[in-house]
Amino acid sequence: MASAASAGTGPRAPRTGRGRAALDRWVADVAALTRPDEVVWCDGSEEENERLLAQMVEAGSLIALDDDLRPGSFLARSDPADVARVEDRTFICSEREEDAGPTNNWHDPVDAKRRLLARFDGAMAGRTMYVLPFSMGPVGGAISQIGVQVTDSPYVVVSMRIMTRMGADALAQIGEDTFWVPALHSVGQPLIDADGTRRADVAWPACENKTIDHFPETREIWSFGSGYGGNALLAKKCFALRIASVMAREEGWLAEHMLLVRVTNPQGRAMHIAAAFSSACGKTNFAMMMPSLPGWRVETIGDDIAWLRPGADGRLRAINPEAGFFGVAPGTGRSTNPVAMDTIARDTIFTNVALTEDGDVWWEGMTTEPPARLTDWRGEPWTPDAGRPAAHPNARFTVGAAQCPSISEDWDDPDGVPIDAIVFGGRRATNVPLVSEAEDWGHGVFFGATISSEQTAAAEGPVGELRLDPFAMLPFCGYNMADHWAHWLRMGETLGEGAPRVFRVNWFRKSPEGKFLWPGFGENARVLEWIDARLHGEVEAEASPVGLLPRLEDVDREGVDLDDETLAQIFAVDPDSWLAEAERLREGLDRYGDRVPPRLVELLDELEERLRARA
Ligand code: O2Y
Ligand code: MN
């Protein structure tokens, strides 16, 4: 077979009707390009998984944790230079730069392919190339999609087996014409040099010059140089958000950075909520909330990504396309998220957490008192006076959703769940009230387009700096963000009366003295209680310049220490500081020029008029 590189365009991946023959051709082309020692098609079986885990333990790239304390669990330590998603090395390679928009890094697709072909040339020499067919969403489901990742990382294989429905069942879905998304990944560290010298492997292979490229028109993903998280588990952010958002726009559905929960009130009435939050706003905690209100129950459907599609009944239905959680470990403990702690009690892969002397894991926030001695995430001895964290701030657990104690029985219903409410949120010390309701769908889109969040120490950038993160999708939308807003407005027209109601929340408002005004965590159920009552017309709301607000008497304060003055502060709308906010929002919208839907500009104008009338 001619090498893919000599074919000019590289491994062939037609956009539609790819089918099984094209898959076999693509795999052969990739193998010809990357020259692995061996090609292994993964079936996703328990035996295969155990074999790979044992091989990695043997090779020193995984540490088996104590079988009594953390059964079936492992610790991986990454290269210290490969610890998070690399946004500045993530590209949308659309044919026209304006289609990627001002907030995505753009590469010309022809140039990008040329460079990638050179980098993938021989990249897997000396390694095994694994072929991972996977389904996003229940296998065969109407909202589900098929992808195939090729990778030279066994860590990626065992992680993808947790995060997706990976293996023989997914492969069997690929018939003659079935569409599938090709996702090509290499850690970029061949074991045979250009001169034929074989070199020893390392525990976490990666390379300096990482690049994560998405081709929205041909629905392809090419990722080179990183073995970590969103850079390497290509089903997650690369497929389920960046590529899927493009597919969704063209096909009339939504691929969103949203958690999914089912909330049941004491009378047994259930509602399904899809909620978009910027990072570090406690999305996983919300998805696994233990309500403080007696009789209320929150069940988990998803903690990160939702695919939403109008159903035959005209209602918006949603699935969690993933099968596992890739959650941040630091900050997760019995007091903040007991459900997560129970979920990761066994059969979990931990990455970059600390190791205890008895073979268990630890991270900052797991307990109030750290153990006296640990091995830190880099493998160095650590004591509490070390002056550095024991776990990396972006340390992760990878665990199957099915073993979450609060998982909902409908979490893998192929038809998804009907969405009653959409919630948008950010981390805001000022301005944004605890909860408000949008006046209509368009106003809800305005809520989503104007999500802002304060930077925390967990991410790069100045702490406290306010950033616009529209729909919490800034690093994840595979096309121009302003077109995403237009798509949402169109979806509202399609859904009409069946559209979910839209709310905005903020758990993080502070007093002038810097104290959180709202207790958060399980008490957030009080907000869900108001949303539930609104959906059923059981409470009135008050008009305000920033949306419909609860009457203070409708906020359930039974059993929580919250005085009238604090409650008033939580809902206060200060016209002057909101006018400053509106100016900032206008600058944000202006970045997208005339691609901003006129309705959003009108809503911003209206906001300003209403505020001026109050100032
Ligand atoms: O650092 C990474 O690669 C992980 S980023 C991530 C992981 C799980 C859920 N969400 C995110 C995110 O950045 O939104
Ligand atoms: Mn996320």
Side-chain angles (χ1 to χ4, degrees), residues 128 147 196 347 361 376 391 521:
T128 299
D347 298 315
V361 285
D376 75 6
F521 298 105

Side-chain angles (χ1 to χ4, degrees), residues 64-351:
L65 297 172
D66 182 88
D67 218 29
D68 291 326
L69 298 173
R70 205 63 67 165
S73 301
F74 298 85
L75 166 63
R77 294 193 185 119
S78 80
D79 180 322
D82 192 23
V83 290
R85 288 186 298 101
V86 283
E87 283 181 20
D88 58 333
R89 305 295 311 153
T90 298
F91 299 92
I92 302 298
C93 308
S94 48
E95 280 159 17
R96 298 184 315 172
E97 185 170 2
E98 60 269 32
D99 290 339
T103 48
N104 277 314
N105 302 311
W106 178 79
H107 264 166
D108 172 77
V110 175
D111 275 2
K113 272 286 174 65
R114 193 176 304 125
R115 264 181 281 149
L116 285 163
L117 284 171
R119 301 201 69 190
F120 274 92
D121 193 2
M124 298 189 189
R127 296 195 180 278
T128 299
M129 175 177 129
Y130 301 95
V131 183
L132 322 177
F134 62 88
S135 174
M136 296 310 283
V139 176
I143 310 181
S144 303
Q145 296 283 342
I146 300 290
V148 182
Q149 176 159 353
V150 161
T151 181
D152 53 6
S153 161
Y155 167 88
V156 166
V157 179
V158 295
S159 303
M160 283 280 290
R161 182 174 179 271
I162 296 174
M163 295 304 295
T164 71
R165 283 97 170 162
M166 184 271 273
D169 291 352
L171 182 62
Q173 289 293 306
I174 303 182
E176 222 176 288
D177 282 324
T178 315
F179 174 78
W180 51 273
V181 168
L184 173 50
H185 170 251
S186 171
V187 293
Q189 208 182 102
L191 293 176
I192 302 176
D193 288 340
D195 66 1
T197 320
R198 201 169 257 273
R199 67 179 127 102
D201 205 356
V202 295
W204 185 281
C207 79
E208 248 177 44
N209 229 336
K210 306 173 189 358
T211 183
I212 326 292
D213 292 69
H214 306 73
F215 297 83
E217 283 95 2
T218 51
R219 323 279 204 240
E220 290 168 75
I221 304 157
W222 294 56
S223 165
F224 189 88
S226 167
Y228 200 90
N231 302 330
L233 312 181
L234 303 185
K236 192 171 179 56
K237 304 298 188 179
C238 298
F239 179 2
L241 289 176
R242 297 193 192 97
I243 294 294
S245 62
V246 175
M247 293 165 60
R249 181 191 45 167
E250 287 176 23
E251 297 166 9
W253 52 285
L254 297 164
E256 298 296 324
H257 192 204
M258 287 179 166
L259 64 87
L260 284 174
V261 286
R262 173 194 176 99
V263 181
T264 309
N265 78 4
Q267 289 70 46
R269 185 169 73 194
M271 61 176 169
H272 290 101
I273 295 181
F277 286 82
S278 295
S279 58
C281 290
K283 234 162 119 200
T284 304
N285 291 351
F286 186 155
M288 300 179 186
M289 185 195 301
M290 289 187 70
S292 62
L293 292 177
W296 284 78
R297 199 164 76 239
V298 171
E299 290 163 82
T300 313
I301 299 172
D303 78 328
D304 195 39
I305 297 174
W307 285 356
L308 309 99
R309 210 182 254 269
D313 60 357
R315 295 191 63 193
L316 194 59
R317 301 191 73 91
I319 60 163
N320 168 13
E322 302 191 277
F325 308 124
F326 185 61
V328 186
T332 306
R334 289 252 148 237
S335 62
T336 56
N337 193 338
V339 176
M341 292 305 286
D342 288 340
T343 307
I344 60 180
R346 61 181 171 87
D347 298 315
T348 303
I349 298 176
F350 297 91
T351 306

